[in-house]
Amino acid sequence: MNLPIDSIRNKLTEKGLKVTPQRISILEAVYKLDNHPTAENIIAYIRESNPNIATGTTYKVLETLVQKQLIQKVKTDKDIMRYDGVVDKHHHLYCSECDLIEDYVDEDLDKYLKEYFKKKSFPGFKIEDIVLQIRGTFDKC
Amino acid sequence: MNLPIDSIRNKLTEKGLKVTPQRISILEAVYKLDNHPTAENIIAYIRESNPNIATGTTYKVLETLVQKQLIQKVKTDKDIMRYDGVVDKHHHLYCSECDLIEDYVDEDLDKYLKEYFKKKSFPGFKIEDIVLQIRGTFDKC
DNA sequence: TTATTAAATAGGAATGATTCCTAACTGATA
DNA sequence: TATCAGTTAGGAATCATTCCTATTTAATAA
């Protein structure tokens, strides 16, 4: 994913966020870095062009972007958080061998699951969202 | 879940693990504590009856139990790992409002998904396991 | 353009979950 | 009951993340 700066500015503005160079760099980094970067990955990347963005700022901005739904957090087995610039509904392929995480979109399956759970409602629980964690290994691993 | 000590001893022995008081306490704690305890929950619990089990030991034992598939790690949005004594295949209901995580077993759905993805194979990726994260809210929350 | 101000950032200290280290200890085996 | 590989206690170290606050800045209106 590779977006022009103006598009990034617009996204921030639309969400009522001040447009700062830090936010632009960080959101751009999440889009540009493949494989669901960690905060550390993002910090390393933005420091190349912007050496004095503070670590704390990066975490704060990431959290803000998650709150405003411009990016997503991705759960992993490890205790390190990773981020995803894709906010449309999707699932994840996790590799058991390496740390690769791949996005997987399947609207048909989403529809099926929605119907399935509509019939099979849980008493006392209202479903908001269903995400699949698909674990396996890539051939190359 | 509430198992007699002997059953716990057997589980450890079956996996080729030495039966130590620490391992028994910790495995017992994972079984007894509801809602997918954190390491901290487990440490607090076992210290009631066994005050001098070291923190490091608990983490090490938990990791060993996960490796031997006597327990499971549960992913959360937070960066705190939680543990689950249920190792049969199951999914999780996550509450958006509180930190409750509930197990959900559905063999029919598992079968369906297995078939579904058998047809829809991913080139270059071999699926090992599919787990659903079902997010929503409990009425009481 | 400039002043105003609420929001955002830099820098670094603090936190807290987890890991690491090693000497001492102990279950399993013969 | 001696042996020893495996395990633990205790505490220091690590490291991702959060917190603190003085300073800076983006947005707005005059």
Side-chain angles (χ1 to χ4, degrees):
Chain A
M1 183 154 33
N2 208 333
L3 293 175
I5 301 293
D6 277 348
S7 157
I8 290 177
R9 305 181 79 92
N10 286 342
K11 282 173 183 285
L12 293 171
T13 306
E14 278 166 19
K15 296 291 182 177
L17 294 172
K18 278 193 188 173
V19 177
T20 68
Q22 292 85 348
R23 285 177 174 162
I24 292 171
S25 301
I26 291 165
L27 187 47
E28 202 181 7
V30 176
Y31 288 146
K32 279 198 180 158
L33 289 170
D34 283 340
N35 191 26
H36 307 78
T38 62
E40 201 190 355
N41 296 149
I42 293 162
I43 291 167
Y45 180 85
I46 60 180
R47 289 250 167 95
E48 286 173 18
S49 52
N50 217 332
N52 45 355
I53 291 184
T55 303
T57 300
T58 307
Y59 280 101
K60 193 144 190 241
V61 168
L62 285 170
E63 195 50 41
T64 305
L65 297 176
V66 169
Q67 295 304 326
K68 296 293 183 178
Q69 301 178 53
L70 287 171
I71 64 176
Q72 278 190 358
K73 284 188 178 183
V74 179
K75 296 179 211 291
T76 71
D77 277 327
K78 312 258 179 66
D79 62 349
I80 299 174
M81 196 54 64
R82 291 169 67 167
Y83 297 88
D84 191 342
V86 178
V87 289
D88 295 332
K89 180 170 179 57
H90 65 279
H91 308 281
H92 285 129
L93 304 182
Y94 292 82
C95 182
S96 306
E97 300 293 328
C98 71
D99 63 355
L100 206 57
I101 298 175
E102 210 163 271
D103 289 336
Y104 169 61
V105 176
D106 187 338
E107 291 181 14
D108 292 340
L109 180 60
D110 294 339
K111 257 178 224 161
Y112 175 84
L113 289 173
K114 198 171 175 183
E115 280 308 310
Y116 182 86
F117 282 106
K118 192 176 283 177
K119 287 173 207 150
K120 200 168 203 128
S121 70
F122 299 100
F125 188 80
K126 184 158 165 285
I127 295 179
E128 289 163 0
D129 192 25
I130 297 170
V131 178
L132 271 69
Q133 300 178 340
I134 303 168
R135 252 170 283 184
T137 46
F138 291 100
D139 293 346
K140 59 190 165 191
C141 294
Chain B
M1 183 155 33
N2 208 332
L3 292 176
I5 301 292
D6 277 348
S7 157
I8 289 177
R9 303 182 81 93
N10 286 342
K11 281 173 183 286
L12 293 171
T13 306
E14 279 166 19
K15 296 292 182 177
L17 294 172
K18 278 192 188 173
V19 177
T20 68
Q22 292 85 348
R23 284 177 176 162
I24 292 172
S25 300
I26 291 165
L27 188 47
E28 203 182 5
V30 176
Y31 288 146
K32 279 198 179 157
L33 289 169
D34 283 340
N35 192 25
H36 307 79
T38 62
E40 201 190 352
N41 296 149
I42 294 163
I43 291 167
Y45 181 83
I46 60 180
R47 289 246 168 100
E48 287 174 17
S49 52
N50 217 332
N52 46 355
I53 291 184
T55 303
T57 300
T58 307
Y59 280 101
K60 194 147 191 235
V61 167
L62 285 170
E63 195 51 41
T64 304
L65 297 177
V66 169
Q67 295 304 325
K68 295 293 183 176
Q69 299 179 51
L70 286 172
I71 63 175
Q72 278 190 0
K73 284 188 179 185
V74 179
K75 298 178 212 285
T76 72
D77 277 325
K78 313 258 180 67
D79 63 348
I80 300 175
M81 197 53 66
R82 292 169 66 167
Y83 297 88
D84 192 342
V86 178
V87 289
D88 296 332
K89 180 168 178 57
H90 66 277
H91 309 280
H92 285 130
L93 304 183
Y94 291 84
C95 182
S96 306
E97 299 294 328
C98 71
D99 62 356
L100 206 57
I101 299 175
E102 210 163 272
D103 290 335
Y104 170 61
V105 175
D106 188 337
E107 291 181 13
D108 293 339
L109 180 60
D110 294 339
K111 258 179 224 159
Y112 175 84
L113 289 173
K114 198 170 174 184
E115 280 308 309
Y116 182 87
F117 282 109
K118 193 176 281 177
K119 287 172 208 149
K120 201 167 203 125
S121 69
F122 298 101
F125 187 79
K126 184 158 165 287
I127 295 179
E128 289 163 358
D129 192 25
I130 298 169
V131 178
L132 270 70
Q133 300 178 340
I134 303 168
R135 249 172 287 183
T137 46
F138 292 100
D139 293 346
K140 58 189 166 192
C141 295

